[in-house]
Amino acid sequence: MTEHEKTGRAGRPLRADTERTIRAILEAAEELLAVEPGATMAQVAEAAGVARTTVHRRFATREALLDALVDWAARRFADAVDAGRPDAAPPLVALHQVTANVLRVKADWSFSMGRAAGDGHPEAARIHADVRATCVRVFRRAQEAGVLRADIDLDWTRRVYYALIHEAALDTREGGDPDVLATRVVDTLLRGVGAPGATAL
């Protein structure tokens, strides 16, 4: 858990057993909701192996639980990006590792990652904005290293990259190897699918 996650509503540190309980509830909720999006709080409690009152004590409503899931998944997403050392590793190494890490998160947290991080989830929206900025920094480093062309639009490149990750994540959820799929994503981004010598109209 992050330091923010380790504090309760009053800002006091959570006990270790409370942290474990919250983690168990969130992980069980993610696994259950990914299969059955309409699952109830009682079903979540049963999946987590805790009493329904315990779930309600931590999350007053089902919507509060869903909001917590979105924020939790966003933090896992950011942690996955950071673990790829986007600002320190060589650009191609960082790009591959970040991609593989993110594919793992998208496979493990498909329900939560699929929910919109819009106005109702300001913390998740902030985290996703930070990740977008990190992604552009990696592409800029790759551009400066000569890996990417000097004339490309970095934001457009990021959007294409996100689309490739989205498609690869579908294969990851079906059991695809994140490292193999990361290689495919990066290769497609850098080399495309055109035959040698093909040119745009």
Side-chain angles (χ1 to χ4, degrees):
M1 285 190 172
T2 66
E3 290 305 312
H4 176 75
E5 292 167 330
K6 291 179 181 179
T7 57
R9 289 191 183 94
R12 293 188 296 271
L14 296 175
R15 288 170 26 179
D17 58 341
T18 301
E19 286 182 31
R20 286 193 295 271
T21 299
I22 291 174
R23 184 187 294 271
I25 292 169
L26 290 172
E27 290 178 347
E30 168 62 37
E31 186 172 346
L32 178 62
L33 291 166
V35 177
E36 192 172 341
T40 65
M41 294 282 270
Q43 289 174 302
V44 170
E46 182 179 0
V50 300
R52 182 177 177 178
T53 53
T54 300
V55 176
H56 279 287
R57 187 162 60 248
R58 300 302 168 197
F59 308 100
T61 64
R62 187 175 187 276
E63 194 58 36
L65 173 60
L66 295 179
D67 288 345
L69 271 174
V70 170
D71 286 348
W72 176 273
R75 293 185 190 108
R76 303 290 78 73
F77 178 49
D79 289 345
V81 172
D82 289 344
R85 300 171 61 232
D87 295 312
L92 271 180
V93 173
L95 190 57
H96 175 89
Q97 194 58 60
V98 166
T99 303
N101 292 351
V102 166
L103 287 174
R104 290 185 179 93
V105 171
K106 282 184 168 287
D108 293 342
W109 296 89
S110 60
F111 174 82
S112 304
M113 291 292 290
R115 289 177 65 84
D119 293 339
H121 304 101
E123 175 64 8
R126 181 193 65 76
I127 291 170
H128 281 273
D130 287 346
V131 169
R132 283 194 297 273
T134 299
C135 183
V136 171
R137 285 201 310 275
V138 172
F139 287 149
R140 184 171 291 115
R141 291 180 60 223
Q143 197 175 45
E144 291 168 353
V147 174
L148 296 175
R149 295 202 322 264
D151 62 341
I152 62 167
D153 182 314
L154 292 180
D155 188 60
W156 170 255
T157 304
R158 178 193 62 78
R159 288 158 58 194
V160 170
Y161 172 64
Y162 272 31
L164 290 170
I165 285 182
H166 173 75
E167 294 301 321
L170 299 178
D171 287 348
T172 308
R173 290 169 199 155
E174 295 297 322
D177 185 322
D179 285 305
V180 172
L181 290 165
T183 298
R184 185 178 301 170
V185 166
V186 175
D187 183 70
T188 302
L189 180 71
L190 296 182
R191 297 176 179 82
V193 294
T199 59
L201 294 176

